[in-house]
Amino acid sequence: MQYFKWLVITLLAIVPFLGISQSKKTLSGYIRSADTGEELIGATVYFKELGTGSSANIYGFYSVSVPEGVYHVEFSFLGFQTVSKEFDLSQNQTFNIELPPSSASLKEVEVVGEAENKNVEQIQMSTINMNMETIKKIPALMGEVDVLRSIQLLPGVQSGGEGSTGFFVRGGGLDQNLILLDGAPVYNAAHLFGFFSVFNQDAIKEAELFKGGIPAQFGGRLSSVLDVRMKEGNSKRLSVSGGLGLVSSRLTIEGPLWKDKVSFVVSGRRTYGDLFLKVLFPESDPRSQSKLFFYDLNGKINWRINDKNRVFISAYMGRDKLGAADLFEMGWGNKTVTTRWNHLFSDKIFSNLTLIYSNFDYGLGVPSGVQEFDWVSKIIDYGIKNDYTYYINPRNTLKFGVQSTIHTFSPAEITPGEENDAFNEIKFFERKGWENGIYIGDEQRIGSRLAIEVGVRLTSFSNMGIDTVYEFNSNYDRVGYDAYEKGDLYNTYFGIEPRLAAKYTLNDVSSIKASYNRMNQYMHLATNTSGGAPLDVWMPVSPNLKPGVADQVALGYFRNLKNNMFEASAEVYYKTMSGQVDFKDNANILLNKYIEGDVRQGIGESYGLEFLFRKQKGDLTGWVSYTLSKATRTVDGINGGNQYLASFHRANNLAIVASYAINSKIDLSANWIYTTGAPITAPTGRMDIGGELVPVYSDRNDAKMPDYHRLDVGLNWKITKEEEKRWQNSLNFSIYNLYARKNAYTISFVQDPDTHKPVAKMTYLFSIIPSITWNFKF
């Protein structure tokens, strides 16, 4: 009943602002690229006579309701030609339009994918859109263009460490980022222990990161949402693209099954470390039988049934394989399937129904012999979402919807081989959870300067049987247990998540924005690494493990310069978090059915200042980002109950990214990164216990690793002649860590054999790494 009470209160607060008028007429439709038929997300529709308009949603749909009359309407998108049409809106009209690419976009000297003044005009703050054309210009590790590595160059985002695609946002943990691929959650977005992400550059259209002011349609994580969207497929003509690099190859095929009605895209990627081993070593050498590779496969079908109905089916499958002949083998990977149905109930009401499947699993073992065993762990989601957008008028848009997900957590199932009598089968109870959410949000423009977005998300999480829940006393000693039958809902948490964002326009080129959001998280990650690992275990909340709750406020100043050529922003934020998970010293994370007794929960606090200066047009493009921040934790039973720095705290984070088009064929790019060293716990002395010298450690995370910095450079050479339109190919050269900085990957402390004192020993991963990739498209 509390849900409905709060929903009614929210509706009553919003309704007075709706300004619904039955005398208005609606112009609606889809905005697409004339070259590929792909929808242009965020394309603008501008009514000259009214000085107002709207923008297309993530499916390219727009709807604008205005008083009856004759209007000149401009359809525009950065990198595409602006088209102007006259409309006599004496009745509702549907108008679909395809915008041709501009000459500038053909030269690829602009950052395309959003409105020129979006930085100033949109209500959302703490939000950054990254399209693949921008990401592809950034120098890449081993030639692999990477979405996750690219967002680490943005303000407020900290890297998980050298060679890691893991990231931390505004003082939140690795598990506090919701990563979506076409709406399906991706629980482990890393390949090769974090060196590469699961996102194939040829299959991805764009990615949008929300660090704060998160809209009400998103929930389930405390710190951020990374919304990654796949391509929809070229609906005009068949196209083949790909690349051949030193560590991997890619191939993408897209085209129409029925021109302008049904399109598809299939994209694959594979590394070939194992193939090199077969070449380097004879078949009799066990090393030639080793496994060392990963692969990705993306697919999508897009069916435009008619102007009111559209269906998408997208899928992803990726896996890592690691093994040494018959000694051991290990594998992990993700599978996702998303089915979406877009439906127009009217010219003003847009609906999206989504069915979601997500599966992350890992396995390891010995494939044969007396030590043979197989260890499997996984987390599976089945979900449904129904989202609605009501385009009331150009100044008012209402969004609402519901979401429900069944989570299945399978911590471990270990099966011995037929010849292995060392142990019997070990199987932990599957744990199930039922997560629900309902939301409503309204975007309202009040006058010519003020715009607000107010919303609320109501959430719940229920534990489901079969399950056994152990009871612990105040000293975390096990004192009993409760058993639940199949289907029992034995524990339910509720959450109310208000969302608020506001923008006040100072003038045509500057604005002030503010936001507040509350988020609830009903699952936690058990990990002992800073960058994440495939053996990490997801744990649902329970009677022992409380949900995480975060409250964040932010304030920012946004300004564009030189006719939107430059954009600048400065944001300050403050975030508090409860239910933060840490583990007691020497906790056993794997194969521990009493793991909840090793968990300690406390509070977190983070605050910071973020700067971003970006150049969007011209031969030289890029950005400079800087973050000054602090992230702490306070947990009873850890560090004497005193506050300590979070393991992912970085006081300073600076990134400089630049791309320069020398001419129509050659682009140069570079990025330089500097971050303060990560906090660590170091020994400060020795103690003689029973004749043995034992190290005495400092307070938790009271020391730090050496500062991190590196320079990457790249060159892209388009080999194709200007007159060859159908066949395109290019060479990409990149050098990772140009000046061979030996950045610390880990710091370990060993005893000096002469002095018997602890000595720091640094391990680093990379020195200088050159790479070359040949890319093609026809």
Side-chain angles (χ1 to χ4, degrees):
M1 291 302 293
Q2 284 185 336
Y3 270 20
F4 294 103
K5 173 184 174 182
W6 280 97
L7 189 60
V8 169
I9 291 174
T10 304
L11 284 169
L12 290 175
I14 291 173
V15 165
F17 295 101
L18 296 183
I20 301 174
S21 172
Q22 300 301 322
S23 64
K24 293 185 177 181
K25 303 303 177 184
T26 301
L27 178 67
S28 62
Y30 289 88
I31 306 176
R32 304 184 177 102
S33 165
D35 187 40
T36 65
E38 291 255 0
E39 275 62 31
L40 299 180
I41 302 171
T44 57
V45 183
Y46 181 73
F47 286 69
K48 288 185 177 181
E49 287 78 6
L50 299 177
T52 189
S54 184
S55 59
N57 67 9
I58 62 172
Y59 302 102
F61 177 78
Y62 73 93
S63 177
V64 186
S65 296
V66 296
E68 291 186 31
V70 177
Y71 299 99
H72 293 86
V73 181
E74 286 186 349
F75 299 87
S76 61
F77 192 64
L78 190 62
F80 288 76
Q81 297 178 29
T82 297
V83 175
S84 182
K85 299 282 289 186
E86 182 179 281
F87 293 92
D88 182 0
L89 290 181
S90 56
Q91 59 184 2
N92 296 338
Q93 291 190 36
T94 298
F95 181 72
N96 300 325
I97 185 170
E98 295 183 343
L99 300 182
S102 67
S103 56
S105 70
L106 295 176
K107 295 177 182 178
E108 293 186 347
V109 298
E110 295 186 358
V111 179
V112 299
E114 57 187 36
E116 287 187 341
N117 63 345
K118 183 179 180 181
N119 178 55
V120 172
E121 282 302 313
Q122 71 170 1
I123 296 178
Q124 284 80 20
M125 62 182 300
S126 310
T127 302
I128 298 179
N129 183 283
M130 298 281 284
N131 63 77
M132 287 310 301
E133 290 304 317
T134 302
I135 294 172
K136 287 178 181 179
K137 293 180 180 180
I138 300 172
L141 172 63
M142 300 182 190
E144 279 296 310
V145 173
D146 202 297
V147 171
L148 296 189
R149 204 175 298 281
S150 299
I151 68 169
Q152 294 174 2
L153 303 173
L154 302 175
V157 182
Q158 309 285 4
S159 168
E162 175 74 296
S164 172
T165 55
F167 63 98
F168 307 93
V169 177
R170 290 185 170 178
L174 185 74
D175 61 329
Q176 295 172 4
N177 305 309
L178 177 62
I179 301 176
L180 300 173
L181 178 60
D182 268 6
V186 178
Y187 283 97
N188 188 310
H191 280 310
L192 201 60
F193 297 101
F195 291 112
F196 306 103
S197 81
V198 300
F199 301 118
N200 179 357
Q201 58 173 299
D202 292 337
I204 301 304
K205 184 176 184 178
E206 65 175 13
E208 190 166 21
L209 178 69
F210 299 88
K211 301 178 294 180
I214 299 173
Q217 63 261 38
F218 296 113
R221 300 294 187 275
L222 298 187
S223 291
S224 76
V225 177
L226 179 63
D227 190 11
V228 181
R229 305 180 189 110
M230 287 174 53
K231 289 180 177 179
E232 294 163 2
N234 193 320
S235 64
K236 301 294 184 182
R237 60 181 179 82
L238 184 66
S239 175
V240 179
S241 61
L244 178 65
L246 297 180
V247 297
S248 70
S249 292
R250 317 178 316 273
L251 182 65
T252 299
I253 304 173
E254 57 181 315
L257 296 175
W258 181 358
K259 188 173 181 180
D260 293 329
K261 294 284 286 185
V262 182
S263 63
F264 76 95
V265 58
V266 177
S267 184
R269 175 177 61 160
R270 191 192 192 277
T271 58
Y272 25 70
D274 57 322
L275 302 182
F276 287 143
L277 294 175
K278 293 183 183 297
V279 173
L280 293 173
F281 301 103
E283 187 175 345
S284 59
D285 192 319
R287 287 173 292 184
S288 69
Q289 306 303 314
S290 297
K291 299 177 181 179
L292 180 61
F293 68 92
F294 68 79
Y295 66 85
D296 296 298
L297 183 63
N298 297 75
K300 191 170 186 177
I301 292 178
N302 165 26
W303 179 22
R304 297 170 187 160
I305 301 172
N306 51 44
D307 285 341
K308 292 187 178 293
N309 294 280
R310 187 174 176 187
V311 173
F312 307 81
I313 300 176
S314 57
Y316 166 79
M317 179 175 65
R319 195 152 194 89
D320 286 71
K321 289 283 191 177
L322 179 65
D326 294 331
L327 301 178
F328 81 96
E329 61 182 9
M330 182 178 180
W332 64 92
N334 295 274
K335 301 183 188 73
T336 69
V337 179
T338 304
T339 302
R340 289 177 292 169
W341 171 38
N342 290 172
H343 176 68
L344 287 175
F345 286 95
S346 71
D347 295 329
K348 292 186 176 185
I349 301 178
F350 181 92
S351 167
N352 180 56
L353 177 65
T354 308
L355 303 178
I356 297 168
Y357 169 78
S358 175
N359 181 334
F360 169 72
D361 74 279
Y362 71 78
L364 68 155
V366 176
S368 61
V370 295
Q371 295 181 327
E372 179 185 355
F373 75 93
D374 186 33
W375 175 339
V376 177
S377 177
K378 56 190 172 183
I379 177 173
I380 299 174
D381 283 359
Y382 293 95
I384 183 171
K385 292 173 59 180
N386 199 4
D387 303 295
Y388 295 86
T389 304
Y390 180 18
Y391 298 91
I392 299 166
N393 57 52
R395 292 183 171 275
N396 201 343
T397 302
L398 187 68
K399 295 182 180 181
F400 54 96
V402 296
Q403 180 176 358
S404 185
T405 304
I406 297 292
H407 305 282
T408 301
F409 304 83
S410 300
E413 182 176 347
I414 307 175
T415 306
E418 293 182 359
E419 300 180 38
N420 188 345
D421 56 4
F423 64 93
N424 296 320
E425 182 182 40
I426 301 173
K427 184 175 181 179
F428 287 79
F429 276 117
E430 284 189 345
R431 309 195 75 175
K432 290 182 179 291
W434 183 25
E435 185 172 1
N436 297 284
I438 181 171
Y439 73 90
I440 185 169
D442 181 61
E443 183 179 316
Q444 173 75 41
R445 296 184 179 271
I446 305 170
S448 60
R449 294 182 179 270
L450 180 63
I452 62 171
E453 184 174 2
V454 59
V456 65
R457 183 180 181 91
L458 309 173
T459 62
S460 71
F461 186 97
S462 299
N463 294 102
M464 301 173 62
I466 306 173
D467 204 354
T468 299
V469 179
Y470 296 95
E471 298 177 359
F472 302 90
N473 62 20
S474 58
N475 295 320
Y476 298 98
D477 297 320
R478 194 169 66 256
V479 295
Y481 69 90
D482 292 311
Y484 298 94
E485 299 296 327
K486 184 176 181 179
D488 286 350
L489 298 180
Y490 62 85
N491 179 63
T492 300
Y493 291 102
F494 295 96
I496 301 173
E497 304 177 7
R499 313 289 174 87
L500 177 65
K503 181 209 69 168
Y504 184 78
T505 302
L506 300 174
N507 51 47
D508 290 342
V509 296
S510 63
S511 63
I512 295 174
K513 303 179 187 180
S515 68
Y516 164 76
N517 62 249
R518 165 169 283 200
M519 309 290 287
N520 284 270
Q521 181 165 330
Y522 297 106
M523 60 180 70
H524 302 282
L525 187 67
T527 180
N528 54 13
T529 67
S530 62
L535 299 186
D536 295 340
V537 177
W538 285 92
M539 305 181 297
V541 294
S542 70
N544 298 312
L545 194 59
K546 307 304 180 185
V549 181
D551 291 278
Q552 180 181 193
V553 293
L555 179 67
Y557 174 70
F558 300 79
R559 182 178 177 85
N560 283 10
L561 305 164
K562 298 288 185 181
N563 194 28
N564 298 314
M565 177 176 288
F566 300 93
E567 64 176 45
S569 65
E571 297 186 35
V572 292
Y573 68 89
Y574 177 74
K575 182 195 294 185
T576 60
M577 296 168 282
S578 64
Q580 298 304 283
V581 168
D582 210 329
F583 291 87
K584 73 174 188 179
D585 294 335
N586 304 312
N588 177 22
I589 293 177
L590 291 176
L591 290 182
N592 181 6
K593 63 181 179 181
Y594 311 120
I595 190 172
E596 291 181 351
D598 290 344
V599 172
R600 305 292 184 266
Q601 288 190 273
I603 61 174
E605 183 182 46
S606 64
Y607 49 88
L609 173 64
E610 300 172 359
F611 293 99
L612 177 65
F613 184 81
R614 183 161 65 165
K615 186 174 185 291
Q616 301 189 92
K617 300 178 182 179
D619 293 335
L620 177 65
T621 57
W623 68 87
V624 177
S625 75
Y626 173 71
T627 305
L628 175 66
S629 62
K630 187 175 183 179
T632 62
R633 296 290 185 267
T634 306
V635 182
D636 289 340
I638 295 179
N639 202 45
N642 298 315
Q643 187 182 81
Y644 58 94
L645 292 174
S647 60
F648 40 82
H649 161 78
R650 309 287 190 274
N652 297 277
N653 191 336
L654 173 66
I656 303 173
V657 181
S659 176
Y660 180 68
I662 297 176
N663 51 44
S664 61
K665 286 183 169 292
I666 299 177
D667 296 333
L668 292 176
S669 59
N671 58 256
W672 185 74
I673 302 166
Y674 168 83
T675 63
T676 306
I680 57 173
T681 304
T684 57
R686 298 173 296 163
M687 181 181 294
D688 191 330
I689 299 180
E692 183 178 352
L693 293 175
V694 178
V696 177
Y697 286 89
S698 67
D699 291 342
R700 179 168 288 203
N701 292 341
D702 201 36
K704 77 178 186 70
M705 297 174 70
D707 292 349
Y708 179 101
H709 55 87
R710 75 168 197 270
L711 173 66
D712 307 329
V713 296
L715 182 147
N716 191 56
W717 174 30
K718 299 173 186 175
I719 305 172
T720 310
K721 297 179 181 180
E722 292 286 346
E723 60 270 16
E724 295 179 8
K725 303 295 184 182
R726 291 288 298 171
W727 167 259
Q728 302 172 26
N729 72 112
S730 63
L731 284 174
N732 179 272
F733 304 89
S734 64
I735 301 177
Y736 182 90
N737 197 10
L738 180 64
Y739 52 78
R741 163 77 174 180
K742 293 180 173 60
N743 288 299
Y745 180 65
T746 61
I747 297 288
S748 58
F749 295 90
V750 297
Q751 184 172 284
D752 187 284
D754 298 323
T755 65
H756 302 289
K757 294 181 179 180
V759 177
K761 182 179 180 181
M762 183 185 80
T763 301
Y764 71 93
L765 292 179
F766 304 127
S767 180
I768 184 171
I769 302 180
S771 64
I772 181 173
T773 304
W774 175 59
N775 297 301
F776 61 87
K777 183 176 181 179
F778 58 88

